[in-house]
Amino acid sequence: MSTIVILTGAGISAESGIETFRAETGLWAQHRVEDVATPEGFAKDPKLVVDFYNGRRIQVAGAEPNAAHKALARLEAEHTGEVLVVTQNVDDLHERGGTRNLIHMHGALNSALCAGCDHRWPIAGDMQVGQQCPACSAPTARPDVVWFGEMPYEMDRIFDVLGRADFFAAIGTSGNVYPAAGFVAEATRAGADTVEINMAPTIVGSEFTSSIMGPATQTVPAWVDKILKSN
Ligand code: BV8
């Protein structure tokens, strides 16, 4: 019964029409990271940040999970051992594609967080600056996403599963952001077989046992077939 851990990044949602971060026309080409993905940026201009995430929430609402998301759900359903998807993405395409055992380590667009009392609640439409928290009534709603300098979610659980992984795959992530980019080293220490699935080798590509290049909607279903055949 092998344990499989899969880290996903913006590239797995690219073919669903969701912009990645570091492509020439990507999200970070349109906004300075420090302005929209840091607590300091939110404190300085909360409207800019709230509008940035409102725009992405609308984009995701109009998108559909693609064959790569669905293939990971099939792997979870048919693999005899544990399959954990750890996503850096804040879209809900993994859930809508059928994945259940999932960690949003950088948070989620469809969740709001109270900066005052840590209460979380679902949000589908636009967030307003100074929106009231339904629990403490303070005007302290913020996007429930992990900004640079903030601690990603469920790190203990992630490292626990990485410590007993037999297979680790990184799909559609550039390996620029830590601690996610360090997961391959953790999996390697656990003796896992590691594969990087991307359009091109990344800056951490050399740390993987193997790589599969090509668009995720083609490479991920083929990789899942291979894993399930070896079950
Ligand atoms: C932390 C928010 C520790 C949500 C994001 C100073 C202080 C504190 C920390 C640091 C510091 N200096 C550096 C750090 C660490 C920092 C970091 O790593 N900085 C980098 C830039 C050097 N990390 C952090 O701050 C993290 N927290 O370290 O806390 C700590 C310790 C103690 C106390 C407090 C804290 C927090 C990191 C999270 C930041 N939030 N997003 C949102 O807006 O979405 S990061 C952002 O980048 C997204 O979450 C995104 O998911 C993530 C990674 O990007 P990728 O997903 O990889 O996307 P990218 O566009 O880069 O790449 C896409 C890939 O897909 C490409 O490779 C492309 O080839 C491929 N692709 C494209 N199309 C396809 C495809 N592949 C296949 N098929 C296709 N069709």
Side-chain angles (χ1 to χ4, degrees):
M1 295 260 277
S2 57
T3 296
I4 304 175
V5 181
I6 298 151
L7 172 70
T8 65
I12 199 169
S13 297
E15 291 165 87
S16 294
I18 308 284
E19 288 167 309
T20 64
F21 288 87
R22 294 168 181 84
E24 292 69 55
T25 56
L27 286 165
W28 296 149
Q30 301 157 38
H31 304 278
R32 283 165 14 107
V33 172
E34 45 276 24
D35 293 343
V36 292
T38 61
E40 298 76 14
F42 182 64
K44 190 170 138 224
D45 188 345
K47 180 153 178 26
L48 174 75
V49 174
V50 162
D51 287 349
F52 172 64
Y53 286 98
N54 286 344
R56 290 173 64 193
R57 197 172 298 109
I58 292 169
Q59 191 185 47
V60 168
E64 291 299 326
N66 61 50
H69 297 105
K70 291 174 186 166
L72 295 186
R74 178 161 56 90
L75 177 64
E76 179 184 346
E78 297 177 18
H79 179 59
T80 46
E82 181 180 0
V83 175
L84 172 67
V85 175
V86 180
T87 188
Q88 299 171 92
N89 299 341
V90 291
D91 64 53
D92 60 349
L93 298 183
H94 278 300
E95 298 91 316
R96 285 159 58 195
T99 288
R100 295 288 167 268
N101 195 20
L102 172 67
I103 293 178
H104 273 279
M105 68 178 288
H106 291 167
L109 282 171
N110 59 16
S111 175
L113 169 66
C114 175
C117 72
D118 265 354
H119 176 64
R120 285 180 171 80
W121 66 97
I123 180 168
D126 281 354
M127 178 180 285
Q128 310 305 325
V129 173
Q131 189 167 323
Q132 267 192 324
C133 165
C136 73
S137 305
T140 46
R142 59 162 274 185
D144 185 12
V145 295
V146 176
W147 286 324
F148 287 99
E150 294 184 325
M151 182 59 84
Y153 296 152
E154 300 204 58
M155 291 304 294
D156 291 345
R157 184 172 151 220
I158 294 169
F159 280 110
D160 169 57
V161 189
L162 280 173
R164 49 190 169 80
D166 300 293
F167 292 98
F168 174 78
I171 302 174
T173 181
S174 61
N176 276 297
V177 175
Y178 286 85
F183 290 172
V184 57
E186 282 301 312
T188 302
R189 267 193 285 280
D193 179 71
T194 60
V195 60
E196 178 169 72
I197 302 177
N198 202 305
M199 295 293 279
T202 71
I203 50 175
V204 290
S206 59
E207 296 187 40
F208 290 81
T209 325
S210 64
S211 66
I212 301 172
M213 295 290 122
T217 54
Q218 293 166 29
T219 53
V220 177
W223 176 71
V224 166
D225 288 343
K226 184 171 151 250
I227 291 279
L228 289 175
K229 276 198 187 78
S230 66
N231 251 349

